[in-house]
């Protein structure tokens, strides 16, 4: 297979895998589990998976004590993003929630402009405007009623938390840590939120049928390990920018499963709103200066030096 074709295929698979959150989470909700318990098990299962991936690369778990506080903050931001997104599923269709979440690159651009004095170009301003129009189109649901305000607030909190996480991991204090190790510790520290929210696991809910444990494992496997591995390989084949643009398949995947599996409605107005948001974000990634912030996977699996045999 051609290298570029393989790269685009892996990039698409990475984005699609990351967009599978609703596919595995919503059946667990229907089974009686709450978002706190679902995310507790997702993080619990993902931690050893990432740990095995780290050891498979021969990397150390050691971090400087000066990095511990920033890693704790990153873990709390990552878990807050996960929690607020999963809470939003209780108030709106998962496809719309995942599309609204996709505005996080816009938020990254705005944060970098306000706090780090990066210039907002005409392209950036235009993309923000188009994305806002797309959000306005999505705000009125498929039945003509406006979206639940609580759900919109939760998904915007998720998007903002993830944008802050992206900005944070690209600051000098953490930029030297390989992304896989950083994500491992973010999950280790982030799981504390779900431990607290479940009253130190006393109110933890469990699946009522054995096969639902597969959904919990799939949440840790597909949006985490498989997505990371495929993203890494895609960047090696086609580069950061095309891989970031292929991230548009994340909300499209959620919309696809929402419509085909969970019977969510999709009107022409909603389709147009989704297209506007994805087009605006993709144009920003393609022509802006934030791609390096959005895709920080080149250090995830640094090439190991081969030591000559004695």
């Amino acid at each position: 297979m051609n290298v570029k074709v393989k790269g685009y295929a892996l990039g698409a698979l990475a984005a699609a895998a990351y967009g599978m959150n609703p596919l595995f989470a919503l059946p667990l909700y229907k089974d009686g589990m709450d978002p706190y318990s679902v995310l507790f098990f997702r993080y619990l299962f993902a931690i050893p998976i990432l740990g095995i991936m780290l050891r498979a690369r021969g990397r150390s778990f050691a971090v400087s004590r000066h990095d511990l506080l920033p890693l704790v903050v990153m873990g709390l931001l990552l878990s807050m993003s996960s929690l607020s997104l999963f809470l939003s599923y209780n108030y709106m269709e998962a496809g719309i929630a995942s599309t609204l979440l996709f505005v996080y690159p816009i938020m990254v651009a705005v944060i970098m402009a306000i706090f780090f004095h990066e210039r907002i170009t005409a392209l950036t301003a235009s993309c923000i405007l188009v994305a806002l129009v797309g959000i306005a189109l999505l705000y009125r649901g498929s039945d003509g009623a406006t979206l639940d305000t609580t759900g919109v607030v939760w998904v915007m909190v998720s998007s903002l938390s993830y944008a802050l996480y992206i900005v944070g991991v690209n600051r000098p204090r953490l930029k030297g840590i390989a992304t896989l190790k950083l994500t491992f510790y973010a999950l280790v520290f982030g799981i504390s939120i779900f431990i607290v929210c479940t009253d130190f696991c006393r109110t933890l809910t469990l699946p009522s049928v054995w096969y639902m444990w597969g959904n919990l494992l799939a949440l840790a496997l597909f949006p985490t390990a498989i997505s990371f591995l495929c993203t890494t390989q895609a960047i090696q084949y086609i580069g950061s920018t095309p891989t970031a643009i292929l991230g548009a398949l994340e909300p499209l995947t959620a919309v696809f499963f929402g419509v085909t599996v969970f019977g969510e409605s999709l009107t022409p107005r909603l389709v147009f709103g989704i297209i506007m948001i994805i087009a605006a974000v993709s144009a920003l990634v393609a022509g802006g200066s934030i791609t390096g912030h959005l895709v920080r996977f080149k250090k995830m699996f640094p090439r190991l030096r081969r030591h000559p045999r004695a």
Side-chain angles (χ1 to χ4, degrees):
M1 182 185 294
N2 181 277
V3 170
K4 284 192 174 295
V5 173
K6 186 183 295 186
Y8 281 106
L10 288 169
L13 179 59
Y18 196 80
M20 288 182 177
N21 280 311
L23 177 64
F24 303 117
L26 295 184
L28 291 167
Y29 288 6
K30 188 175 181 180
D31 190 51
M33 292 189 70
D34 58 74
Y36 310 103
S37 300
V38 170
L39 285 168
F40 170 80
F41 284 111
R42 175 187 175 179
Y43 275 50
L44 184 67
F45 292 162
I47 288 169
I49 292 175
L50 292 187
I52 292 171
M53 291 165 66
L54 266 175
R55 292 306 300 165
R57 294 296 300 174
R59 314 310 293 182
S60 170
F61 288 94
V63 292
S64 166
R65 61 185 178 87
H66 300 292
D67 295 330
L68 287 178
L69 181 58
L71 285 172
V72 169
V73 174
M74 293 303 102
L76 295 179
L77 284 172
L78 187 61
S79 58
M80 179 55 68
S81 178
S82 300
L83 178 57
S84 46
L85 176 64
F86 275 50
L87 285 172
S88 73
Y89 292 161
N90 289 322
Y91 300 93
M92 66 172 65
E93 294 178 343
I96 293 178
S98 298
T99 303
L100 292 175
L101 174 70
F102 194 59
V103 303
Y104 68 83
I106 301 286
M107 292 188 177
V108 171
V110 173
I111 291 170
M112 295 304 297
I114 293 175
F115 295 102
F116 301 99
H117 310 294
E118 286 197 3
R119 187 169 63 93
I120 292 185
T121 64
L123 172 64
T124 301
S126 300
C127 290
I128 292 173
L129 180 61
V130 172
L132 289 175
V133 174
I135 291 172
L137 290 173
L138 290 184
Y139 190 70
R140 187 169 294 276
S142 57
D143 59 355
T146 57
L147 296 177
D148 189 291
T149 302
T150 303
V152 174
V153 170
W154 275 127
V155 78
M156 288 297 105
V157 169
S158 178
S159 187
L160 178 59
S161 299
Y162 193 55
L164 290 171
Y165 173 82
I166 290 172
V167 172
V169 299
N170 281 283
R171 303 322 298 161
R173 176 76 267 176
L174 295 176
K175 203 166 185 178
I177 302 177
T179 303
L180 184 58
K181 181 189 289 189
L182 191 152
T183 306
F184 172 80
Y185 279 105
L187 294 178
V188 168
F189 293 124
I191 197 174
S192 61
I193 283 187
F194 312 122
I195 293 175
V196 172
C197 289
T198 57
D199 193 18
F200 294 90
C201 299
R202 284 193 287 267
T203 61
L204 201 65
T205 55
L206 303 176
S208 64
V209 288
W210 65 268
Y211 54 82
M212 282 296 171
W213 286 99
N215 281 44
L216 291 170
L217 182 60
L219 278 172
L221 187 62
F222 286 93
T224 308
I226 290 178
S227 181
F228 280 176
L229 285 169
C230 292
T231 299
T232 305
Q233 291 297 314
I235 290 174
Q236 291 179 358
Y237 291 139
I238 60 176
S240 298
T241 300
T243 303
I245 293 173
L246 285 170
L249 290 176
E250 294 173 18
L252 289 180
T253 302
V255 169
F256 172 78
F257 286 121
V259 172
T260 59
V261 178
F262 303 110
E264 296 178 356
S265 301
L266 197 61
T267 65
R269 186 188 66 258
L270 294 180
V271 171
F272 193 50
I274 292 170
I275 291 173
M276 290 187 74
I277 292 174
I278 291 175
V281 173
S282 299
L284 179 65
V285 172
S289 60
I290 65 168
T291 305
H293 297 287
L294 298 179
V295 186
R296 186 182 177 269
F297 294 93
K298 286 185 176 179
K299 292 185 177 181
M300 180 175 292
F301 298 112
R303 295 184 181 279
L304 301 179
R305 295 180 180 178
R306 296 184 180 275
H307 298 284
R309 294 183 180 179

